[in-house]
């Protein structure tokens, strides 16, 4: 089979898993925050994957919406108190856009970062 006859479809749950990993690995991010809507989506997806025997990739706190030729990624995070939240948010945006593009070949139109909590220093 030649390269021009191959096609690949990367679904939103795969993009969400890549985005979740990228966000969690960004310096200054304490954790991803799933929220109520995120918890329901995670439980539904995890149940479906367990039913089929697949191990679910962590996607808590990440939602992906297909927008025309690209994607919009929403991520809910908690940041550490030792750095400026706005800088961490911008770093998360850049890291997610780069990682999703590199690992999936999908164009990211927007990354919306919602900072839901700031972890106090202990």
């Amino acid at each position: 089979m030649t390269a021009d006859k191959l096609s690949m479809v990367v679904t939103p749950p795969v993009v969400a898993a890549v985005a979740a990993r990228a966000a969690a690995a960004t310096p200054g991010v304490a954790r991803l925050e799933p929220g109520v809507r995120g918890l329901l989506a995670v439980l539904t997806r995890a149940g479906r994957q367990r039913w089929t025997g697949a191990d679910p990739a962590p996607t808590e706190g990440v939602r992906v919406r297909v927008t025309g030729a690209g994607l919009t990624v929403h991520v809910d995070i908690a940041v550490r108190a030792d750095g400026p939240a706005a800088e961490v948010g911008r770093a998360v945006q850049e890291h997610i856009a780069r990682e999703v593009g590199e690992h999936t070949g999908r164009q990211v139109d927007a990354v919306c970062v919602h900072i839901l909590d700031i972890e106090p220093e202990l």
Side-chain angles (χ1 to χ4, degrees):
M1 188 177 258
T2 62
D4 59 336
K5 292 185 181 183
L6 294 176
S7 70
M8 179 177 68
V9 176
V10 179
T11 60
V14 173
V15 173
V18 172
R21 190 183 70 219
T26 304
V29 173
R31 66 182 177 280
L32 290 145
E33 287 282 339
V36 174
R37 186 171 58 180
L39 281 174
L40 292 174
V42 167
L43 290 174
T44 301
R45 183 168 166 255
R48 187 175 346 131
Q49 287 181 324
R50 286 204 172 88
W51 179 261
T52 62
D55 288 328
T59 60
E60 293 86 0
V62 179
R63 295 169 310 283
V64 176
R65 190 177 51 161
V66 179
T67 56
L71 304 165
T72 298
V73 178
H74 292 266
V75 61
D76 299 333
I77 62 172
V79 297
R80 293 188 181 96
D82 59 354
E87 287 180 20
V88 173
R90 276 191 290 281
V92 168
Q93 286 176 315
E94 293 168 4
H95 198 194
I96 287 175
R98 183 177 60 250
E99 291 292 309
V100 168
E102 286 178 11
H103 292 286
T104 69
R106 302 286 308 263
Q107 175 184 339
V108 178
D109 293 331
V111 178
C112 303
V113 178
H114 308 270
I115 299 173
L116 302 181
D117 196 10
I118 297 176
E119 287 250 322
E121 294 181 44
L122 298 177

PDB file of all heavy atoms in Angstrom, residues 13 38-60:
ATOM      1  N   PRO A  13     -11.284  11.810  21.578  1.00  0.00           N
ATOM      2  CA  PRO A  13     -10.734  11.244  22.819  1.00  0.00           C
ATOM      3  C   PRO A  13      -9.217  11.059  22.778  1.00  0.00           C
ATOM      4  O   PRO A  13      -8.549  11.215  23.796  1.00  0.00           O
ATOM      5  CB  PRO A  13     -11.457   9.898  22.960  1.00  0.00           C
ATOM      6  CG  PRO A  13     -12.733  10.084  22.229  1.00  0.00           C
ATOM      7  CD  PRO A  13     -12.398  10.975  21.077  1.00  0.00           C
ATOM      8  N   GLY A  38     -16.936  17.196  33.314  1.00  0.00           N
ATOM      9  CA  GLY A  38     -15.799  16.359  32.952  1.00  0.00           C
ATOM     10  C   GLY A  38     -15.860  14.992  33.601  1.00  0.00           C
ATOM     11  O   GLY A  38     -15.517  13.989  32.980  1.00  0.00           O
ATOM     12  N   LEU A  39     -16.306  14.937  34.852  1.00  0.00           N
ATOM     13  CA  LEU A  39     -16.420  13.645  35.532  1.00  0.00           C
ATOM     14  C   LEU A  39     -17.435  12.747  34.841  1.00  0.00           C
ATOM     15  O   LEU A  39     -17.210  11.544  34.668  1.00  0.00           O
ATOM     16  CB  LEU A  39     -16.811  13.840  36.990  1.00  0.00           C
ATOM     17  CG  LEU A  39     -15.696  14.258  37.933  1.00  0.00           C
ATOM     18  CD1 LEU A  39     -16.252  14.557  39.322  1.00  0.00           C
ATOM     19  CD2 LEU A  39     -14.634  13.192  38.017  1.00  0.00           C
ATOM     20  N   LEU A  40     -18.564  13.320  34.425  1.00  0.00           N
ATOM     21  CA  LEU A  40     -19.570  12.523  33.732  1.00  0.00           C
ATOM     22  C   LEU A  40     -19.039  11.992  32.405  1.00  0.00           C
ATOM     23  O   LEU A  40     -19.249  10.824  32.063  1.00  0.00           O
ATOM     24  CB  LEU A  40     -20.837  13.349  33.499  1.00  0.00           C
ATOM     25  CG  LEU A  40     -21.620  13.709  34.753  1.00  0.00           C
ATOM     26  CD1 LEU A  40     -22.769  14.644  34.416  1.00  0.00           C
ATOM     27  CD2 LEU A  40     -22.128  12.459  35.437  1.00  0.00           C
ATOM     28  N   ALA A  41     -18.330  12.830  31.668  1.00  0.00           N
ATOM     29  CA  ALA A  41     -17.767  12.401  30.388  1.00  0.00           C
ATOM     30  C   ALA A  41     -16.719  11.316  30.603  1.00  0.00           C
ATOM     31  O   ALA A  41     -16.665  10.334  29.854  1.00  0.00           O
ATOM     32  CB  ALA A  41     -17.158  13.592  29.654  1.00  0.00           C
ATOM     33  N   VAL A  42     -15.885  11.482  31.614  1.00  0.00           N
ATOM     34  CA  VAL A  42     -14.842  10.495  31.900  1.00  0.00           C
ATOM     35  C   VAL A  42     -15.464   9.155  32.289  1.00  0.00           C
ATOM     36  O   VAL A  42     -15.034   8.094  31.821  1.00  0.00           O
ATOM     37  CB  VAL A  42     -13.904  11.001  33.011  1.00  0.00           C
ATOM     38  CG1 VAL A  42     -13.031   9.886  33.548  1.00  0.00           C
ATOM     39  CG2 VAL A  42     -13.044  12.125  32.482  1.00  0.00           C
ATOM     40  N   LEU A  43     -16.491   9.185  33.134  1.00  0.00           N
ATOM     41  CA  LEU A  43     -17.130   7.939  33.556  1.00  0.00           C
ATOM     42  C   LEU A  43     -17.779   7.220  32.378  1.00  0.00           C
ATOM     43  O   LEU A  43     -17.665   6.000  32.244  1.00  0.00           O
ATOM     44  CB  LEU A  43     -18.166   8.227  34.643  1.00  0.00           C
ATOM     45  CG  LEU A  43     -17.604   8.638  35.993  1.00  0.00           C
ATOM     46  CD1 LEU A  43     -18.727   9.047  36.942  1.00  0.00           C
ATOM     47  CD2 LEU A  43     -16.775   7.524  36.595  1.00  0.00           C
ATOM     48  N   THR A  44     -18.435   7.968  31.512  1.00  0.00           N
ATOM     49  CA  THR A  44     -19.063   7.372  30.332  1.00  0.00           C
ATOM     50  C   THR A  44     -18.021   6.743  29.422  1.00  0.00           C
ATOM     51  O   THR A  44     -18.158   5.601  28.983  1.00  0.00           O
ATOM     52  CB  THR A  44     -19.861   8.444  29.556  1.00  0.00           C
ATOM     53  OG1 THR A  44     -20.839   8.993  30.427  1.00  0.00           O
ATOM     54  CG2 THR A  44     -20.526   7.852  28.333  1.00  0.00           C
ATOM     55  N   ARG A  45     -16.968   7.489  29.143  1.00  0.00           N
ATOM     56  CA  ARG A  45     -15.916   6.993  28.253  1.00  0.00           C
ATOM     57  C   ARG A  45     -15.194   5.798  28.870  1.00  0.00           C
ATOM     58  O   ARG A  45     -14.928   4.799  28.206  1.00  0.00           O
ATOM     59  CB  ARG A  45     -14.929   8.121  27.957  1.00  0.00           C
ATOM     60  CG  ARG A  45     -13.857   7.706  27.000  1.00  0.00           C
ATOM     61  CD  ARG A  45     -13.082   8.947  26.526  1.00  0.00           C
ATOM     62  NE  ARG A  45     -11.886   8.487  25.891  1.00  0.00           N
ATOM     63  CZ  ARG A  45     -10.680   8.545  26.427  1.00  0.00           C
ATOM     64  NH1 ARG A  45     -10.496   9.092  27.595  1.00  0.00           N
ATOM     65  NH2 ARG A  45      -9.638   8.082  25.780  1.00  0.00           N
ATOM     66  N   ALA A  46     -14.880   5.888  30.157  1.00  0.00           N
ATOM     67  CA  ALA A  46     -14.182   4.787  30.823  1.00  0.00           C
ATOM     68  C   ALA A  46     -15.052   3.528  30.832  1.00  0.00           C
ATOM     69  O   ALA A  46     -14.549   2.421  30.597  1.00  0.00           O
ATOM     70  CB  ALA A  46     -13.800   5.186  32.245  1.00  0.00           C
ATOM     71  N   GLY A  47     -16.341   3.680  31.070  1.00  0.00           N
ATOM     72  CA  GLY A  47     -17.238   2.531  31.040  1.00  0.00           C
ATOM     73  C   GLY A  47     -17.285   1.882  29.669  1.00  0.00           C
ATOM     74  O   GLY A  47     -17.227   0.648  29.551  1.00  0.00           O
ATOM     75  N   ARG A  48     -17.356   2.699  28.632  1.00  0.00           N
ATOM     76  CA  ARG A  48     -17.373   2.179  27.263  1.00  0.00           C
ATOM     77  C   ARG A  48     -16.067   1.454  26.942  1.00  0.00           C
ATOM     78  O   ARG A  48     -16.075   0.381  26.350  1.00  0.00           O
ATOM     79  CB  ARG A  48     -17.590   3.331  26.284  1.00  0.00           C
ATOM     80  CG  ARG A  48     -17.789   2.891  24.858  1.00  0.00           C
ATOM     81  CD  ARG A  48     -18.134   4.060  23.938  1.00  0.00           C
ATOM     82  NE  ARG A  48     -18.509   5.243  24.679  1.00  0.00           N
ATOM     83  CZ  ARG A  48     -18.023   6.462  24.464  1.00  0.00           C
ATOM     84  NH1 ARG A  48     -17.175   6.680  23.513  1.00  0.00           N
ATOM     85  NH2 ARG A  48     -18.396   7.491  25.186  1.00  0.00           N
ATOM     86  N   GLN A  49     -14.943   2.030  27.348  1.00  0.00           N
ATOM     87  CA  GLN A  49     -13.660   1.407  27.048  1.00  0.00           C
ATOM     88  C   GLN A  49     -13.467   0.128  27.859  1.00  0.00           C
ATOM     89  O   GLN A  49     -12.916  -0.845  27.355  1.00  0.00           O
ATOM     90  CB  GLN A  49     -12.513   2.383  27.288  1.00  0.00           C
ATOM     91  CG  GLN A  49     -12.459   3.450  26.214  1.00  0.00           C
ATOM     92  CD  GLN A  49     -11.316   4.406  26.413  1.00  0.00           C
ATOM     93  OE1 GLN A  49     -10.967   4.747  27.539  1.00  0.00           O
ATOM     94  NE2 GLN A  49     -10.726   4.850  25.322  1.00  0.00           N
ATOM     95  N   ARG A  50     -13.901   0.125  29.088  1.00  0.00           N
ATOM     96  CA  ARG A  50     -13.772  -1.092  29.893  1.00  0.00           C
ATOM     97  C   ARG A  50     -14.684  -2.192  29.346  1.00  0.00           C
ATOM     98  O   ARG A  50     -14.352  -3.363  29.382  1.00  0.00           O
ATOM     99  CB  ARG A  50     -14.071  -0.793  31.350  1.00  0.00           C
ATOM    100  CG  ARG A  50     -12.923  -0.030  31.981  1.00  0.00           C
ATOM    101  CD  ARG A  50     -12.869  -0.196  33.487  1.00  0.00           C
ATOM    102  NE  ARG A  50     -11.656   0.383  33.993  1.00  0.00           N
ATOM    103  CZ  ARG A  50     -11.512   1.651  34.354  1.00  0.00           C
ATOM    104  NH1 ARG A  50     -12.524   2.486  34.265  1.00  0.00           N
ATOM    105  NH2 ARG A  50     -10.360   2.098  34.819  1.00  0.00           N
ATOM    106  N   TRP A  51     -15.851  -1.818  28.836  1.00  0.00           N
ATOM    107  CA  TRP A  51     -16.777  -2.769  28.246  1.00  0.00           C
ATOM    108  C   TRP A  51     -16.120  -3.473  27.060  1.00  0.00           C
ATOM    109  O   TRP A  51     -16.315  -4.652  26.835  1.00  0.00           O
ATOM    110  CB  TRP A  51     -18.038  -2.045  27.814  1.00  0.00           C
ATOM    111  CG  TRP A  51     -19.046  -2.938  27.171  1.00  0.00           C
ATOM    112  CD1 TRP A  51     -19.256  -3.106  25.837  1.00  0.00           C
ATOM    113  CD2 TRP A  51     -19.988  -3.778  27.828  1.00  0.00           C
ATOM    114  NE1 TRP A  51     -20.257  -3.999  25.620  1.00  0.00           N
ATOM    115  CE2 TRP A  51     -20.732  -4.429  26.841  1.00  0.00           C
ATOM    116  CE3 TRP A  51     -20.271  -4.040  29.162  1.00  0.00           C
ATOM    117  CZ2 TRP A  51     -21.738  -5.322  27.140  1.00  0.00           C
ATOM    118  CZ3 TRP A  51     -21.288  -4.928  29.446  1.00  0.00           C
ATOM    119  CH2 TRP A  51     -22.000  -5.557  28.447  1.00  0.00           C
ATOM    120  N   THR A  52     -15.312  -2.718  26.297  1.00  0.00           N
ATOM    121  CA  THR A  52     -14.639  -3.295  25.132  1.00  0.00           C
ATOM    122  C   THR A  52     -13.271  -3.871  25.477  1.00  0.00           C
ATOM    123  O   THR A  52     -12.592  -4.401  24.602  1.00  0.00           O
ATOM    124  CB  THR A  52     -14.467  -2.239  24.025  1.00  0.00           C
ATOM    125  OG1 THR A  52     -13.651  -1.176  24.504  1.00  0.00           O
ATOM    126  CG2 THR A  52     -15.810  -1.703  23.561  1.00  0.00           C
ATOM    127  N   GLY A  53     -12.846  -3.733  26.727  1.00  0.00           N
ATOM    128  CA  GLY A  53     -11.577  -4.309  27.150  1.00  0.00           C
ATOM    129  C   GLY A  53     -10.376  -3.391  26.990  1.00  0.00           C
ATOM    130  O   GLY A  53      -9.245  -3.808  27.191  1.00  0.00           O
ATOM    131  N   ALA A  54     -10.589  -2.142  26.626  1.00  0.00           N
ATOM    132  CA  ALA A  54      -9.485  -1.196  26.454  1.00  0.00           C
ATOM    133  C   ALA A  54      -9.227  -0.461  27.762  1.00  0.00           C
ATOM    134  O   ALA A  54     -10.134  -0.248  28.559  1.00  0.00           O
ATOM    135  CB  ALA A  54      -9.816  -0.189  25.361  1.00  0.00           C
ATOM    136  N   ASP A  55      -7.975  -0.077  27.993  1.00  0.00           N
ATOM    137  CA  ASP A  55      -7.643   0.754  29.150  1.00  0.00           C
ATOM    138  C   ASP A  55      -7.823   2.213  28.762  1.00  0.00           C
ATOM    139  O   ASP A  55      -7.217   2.672  27.799  1.00  0.00           O
ATOM    140  CB  ASP A  55      -6.191   0.529  29.590  1.00  0.00           C
ATOM    141  CG  ASP A  55      -5.996  -0.819  30.243  1.00  0.00           C
ATOM    142  OD1 ASP A  55      -6.944  -1.295  30.893  1.00  0.00           O
ATOM    143  OD2 ASP A  55      -4.904  -1.391  30.081  1.00  0.00           O
ATOM    144  N   PRO A  56      -8.634   2.967  29.504  1.00  0.00           N
ATOM    145  CA  PRO A  56      -8.863   4.361  29.135  1.00  0.00           C
ATOM    146  C   PRO A  56      -7.643   5.234  29.425  1.00  0.00           C
ATOM    147  O   PRO A  56      -7.009   5.103  30.463  1.00  0.00           O
ATOM    148  CB  PRO A  56     -10.047   4.782  30.009  1.00  0.00           C
ATOM    149  CG  PRO A  56     -10.001   3.859  31.178  1.00  0.00           C
ATOM    150  CD  PRO A  56      -9.398   2.572  30.676  1.00  0.00           C
ATOM    151  N   ALA A  57      -7.321   6.088  28.480  1.00  0.00           N
ATOM    152  CA  ALA A  57      -6.266   7.079  28.700  1.00  0.00           C
ATOM    153  C   ALA A  57      -6.850   8.201  29.545  1.00  0.00           C
ATOM    154  O   ALA A  57      -8.014   8.547  29.398  1.00  0.00           O
ATOM    155  CB  ALA A  57      -5.773   7.625  27.365  1.00  0.00           C
ATOM    156  N   PRO A  58      -6.065   8.775  30.445  1.00  0.00           N
ATOM    157  CA  PRO A  58      -6.606   9.850  31.291  1.00  0.00           C
ATOM    158  C   PRO A  58      -6.905  11.101  30.472  1.00  0.00           C
ATOM    159  O   PRO A  58      -6.063  11.582  29.727  1.00  0.00           O
ATOM    160  CB  PRO A  58      -5.483  10.110  32.297  1.00  0.00           C
ATOM    161  CG  PRO A  58      -4.254   9.572  31.655  1.00  0.00           C
ATOM    162  CD  PRO A  58      -4.679   8.479  30.730  1.00  0.00           C
ATOM    163  N   THR A  59      -8.135  11.593  30.605  1.00  0.00           N
ATOM    164  CA  THR A  59      -8.543  12.814  29.899  1.00  0.00           C
ATOM    165  C   THR A  59      -9.293  13.768  30.825  1.00  0.00           C
ATOM    166  O   THR A  59      -9.917  14.706  30.351  1.00  0.00           O
ATOM    167  CB  THR A  59      -9.446  12.483  28.697  1.00  0.00           C
ATOM    168  OG1 THR A  59     -10.615  11.802  29.175  1.00  0.00           O
ATOM    169  CG2 THR A  59      -8.740  11.624  27.676  1.00  0.00           C
ATOM    170  N   GLU A  60      -9.229  13.534  32.120  1.00  0.00           N
ATOM    171  CA  GLU A  60      -9.955  14.366  33.070  1.00  0.00           C
ATOM    172  C   GLU A  60      -9.577  15.836  32.893  1.00  0.00           C
ATOM    173  O   GLU A  60      -8.401  16.164  32.806  1.00  0.00           O
ATOM    174  CB  GLU A  60      -9.653  13.936  34.508  1.00  0.00           C
ATOM    175  CG  GLU A  60     -10.185  12.573  34.874  1.00  0.00           C
ATOM    176  CD  GLU A  60      -9.237  11.449  34.504  1.00  0.00           C
ATOM    177  OE1 GLU A  60      -8.146  11.720  33.960  1.00  0.00           O
ATOM    178  OE2 GLU A  60      -9.585  10.297  34.749  1.00  0.00           O
TER     179      GLU A  60
END
